[in-house]
Amino acid sequence: MENVLRPLIVIGGSLVLTLLVGWIVDLLLRRADQRHQGIPLWGLLRRCRLPLQFVMCVALLRGSYDRAEIADDHSEGIGQILTLVLIGSAAWLMMRIATAIVESSYSRYANAHRDPARVRRVRTQVTLIQRVVSAIVGTVAVAAMLLTFPAMRAAGASLLASAGILGIVAGVAAQSTLANMFAGLQIAFGDMVRLGDTVVVNGEWGTVDEITLTFLTVRTWDERRFTMPVSYFTSQPFENWSRGGVQMTGTVFFHLDHTAPVEEMRTKLRDILRECPAWDGRDYGLAVTDSTPNTMEVRALVTAKDADDVWTVRVTVREQMFRWLTTHHPYALPRVNTADAILPPSTAQANGAETHRSRTSTRGRMVEPPRTGRG
């Protein structure tokens, strides 16, 4: 009977105690979250309930397993497995806590500052910090798991003895990877590019969707993703439309006939922009910027608060302006002239006088009949 009750008491007691502690911790965090609604940390820490319970359960089982007297022949192997699970669950708990702290800090900063550029910069930095902390915790956890094996301890001592040579070899072998990692840190804390920035890379326009220590993802307007090494952004030129502010000025070009009503087009442009919600009201303008023998180039300038809105304003102006020209001023649209060229007045008068003299002289001269007969 004792052989049956003892394992039930050890395992059942560990599970009951784990569930009880988890419920108490969750209750305290819930009350703290309700009391401090402006601090999201307590609500985020509630995500740590599952890893916390896992750590407590494994720790209780690891500490009381010898008293349970279960599978004595395999006690050493089972104890080793519980130790490995305990290390992994502890690393999981630390990552969850670090993530909660980082997200809470970012949320408080975003609520306190209204500048979108600064918020995106901090978001990029805290995201990379979170990734670095997760990588360090994971590496330490794996190293701790390996050191629990006696054979790995001896191997670790020998590796430490030759750490200098291994460091040189690893540095040469992982040169590109290390370069990307340092470039990622430079991007995060150098404020070169941030999450949400509008960039133009290799002729493609898109938004920075993800930044890691080794690569950066740009999401284009048609939902494609470009994944590029972060070292590209520290060694190659690129356009960042969100740098120094997100307000933008856009252009719309029209190729029209030389008779197009430019003044009326300026008035129509003002009316179109007043009815367009994407226009920020800062500035607008319309001017003739170039001409060819057949057409003239008219440029309209519009402004908007960001790249997405300036695109909306441009397409709206282009569509409604062409519709208005087609309805009210169709002659202003470009066309191919197939008529005879109109000569200047002086040249036309001179040609007319020459033609008149030629006809007069022809009427006043007798024309001899052609000679026939033998010569």
Side-chain angles (χ1 to χ4, degrees), residues 13-52:
S14 300
L15 293 176
V16 171
L17 185 59
T18 299
L19 295 176
L20 180 61
V21 172
W23 178 77
I24 293 174
V25 171
D26 184 70
L27 181 61
L28 294 176
L29 291 176
R30 189 186 308 169
R31 291 184 178 179
D33 187 27
Q34 294 176 355
R35 186 178 303 174
H36 305 86
Q37 296 182 357
I39 302 176
L41 177 61
W42 307 111
L44 294 173
L45 285 177
R46 294 184 61 191
R47 303 177 184 176
C48 304
R49 177 181 178 180
L50 181 60
L52 176 63

Side-chain angles (χ1 to χ4, degrees), residues 6-198:
R6 183 175 297 176
L8 291 178
I9 292 174
V10 171
I11 298 176
S14 300
L15 293 176
V16 171
L17 185 59
T18 299
L19 295 176
L20 180 61
V21 172
W23 178 77
I24 293 174
V25 171
D26 184 70
L27 181 61
L28 294 176
L29 291 176
R30 189 186 308 169
R31 291 184 178 179
D33 187 27
Q34 294 176 355
R35 186 178 303 174
H36 305 86
Q37 296 182 357
I39 302 176
L41 177 61
W42 307 111
L44 294 173
L45 285 177
R46 294 184 61 191
R47 303 177 184 176
C48 304
R49 177 181 178 180
L50 181 60
L52 176 63
Q53 290 178 331
F54 208 77
V55 169
M56 288 192 59
C57 183
V58 176
L60 291 174
L61 290 176
R62 183 66 183 89
S64 59
Y65 174 74
D66 295 335
R67 298 179 180 274
E69 297 181 358
I70 303 175
D72 294 335
D73 298 337
H74 304 283
S75 60
E76 185 176 354
I78 296 176
Q80 182 70 22
I81 293 175
L82 290 175
T83 302
L84 295 178
V85 174
L86 179 60
I87 295 174
S89 58
W92 182 22
L93 177 61
M94 293 181 63
M95 290 181 184
R96 283 291 183 91
I97 294 175
T99 301
I101 295 175
V102 169
E103 291 184 2
S104 175
S105 302
Y106 168 72
S107 179
R108 294 182 62 183
Y109 186 89
N111 293 331
H113 297 79
R114 299 300 180 183
D115 187 2
R118 297 179 62 183
V119 172
R120 289 199 306 271
R121 180 185 62 187
V122 174
R123 180 186 175 189
T124 304
Q125 294 175 354
V126 298
T127 301
L128 288 180
I129 290 175
Q130 178 181 346
R131 294 180 184 274
V132 170
V133 171
S134 299
I136 293 175
V137 172
T139 303
V140 173
V142 172
M145 290 180 181
L146 294 176
L147 291 178
T148 58
F149 297 94
M152 294 304 299
R153 297 175 186 174
S158 61
L159 289 176
L160 289 176
S162 57
I165 300 176
L166 290 176
I168 295 174
V169 173
V172 174
Q175 183 178 1
S176 59
T177 303
L178 293 175
N180 283 328
M181 291 181 63
F182 286 113
L185 294 175
Q186 183 178 354
I187 285 178
F189 297 98
D191 199 22
M192 298 176 58
V193 61
R194 299 153 299 195
L195 290 172
D197 280 3
T198 302

Side-chain angles (χ1 to χ4, degrees), residues 179-225:
N180 283 328
M181 291 181 63
F182 286 113
L185 294 175
Q186 183 178 354
I187 285 178
F189 297 98
D191 199 22
M192 298 176 58
V193 61
R194 299 153 299 195
L195 290 172
D197 280 3
T198 302
V199 297
V200 179
V201 182
N202 290 337
E204 295 287 345
W205 176 87
T207 305
V208 178
D209 191 52
E210 183 181 6
I211 299 177
T212 67
L213 289 177
T214 56
F215 67 89
L216 186 147
T217 303
V218 177
R219 177 173 52 86
T220 61
W221 63 273
D222 54 355
E223 300 299 331
R224 290 178 295 150
R225 262 74 173 178

Side-chain angles (χ1 to χ4, degrees), residues 238-277:
F238 66 95
E239 296 182 26
N240 189 344
W241 292 4
S242 302
R243 179 73 176 179
V246 295
Q247 295 178 343
M248 294 196 64
T249 299
T251 58
V252 182
F253 289 96
F254 302 96
H255 295 276
L256 305 174
D257 190 78
H258 294 92
T259 59
V262 178
E263 290 296 334
E264 296 183 23
M265 290 180 64
R266 290 193 180 98
T267 305
K268 183 60 179 179
L269 175 63
R270 180 192 60 192
D271 297 338
I272 293 174
L273 292 177
R274 286 179 177 177
E275 298 177 359
C276 181

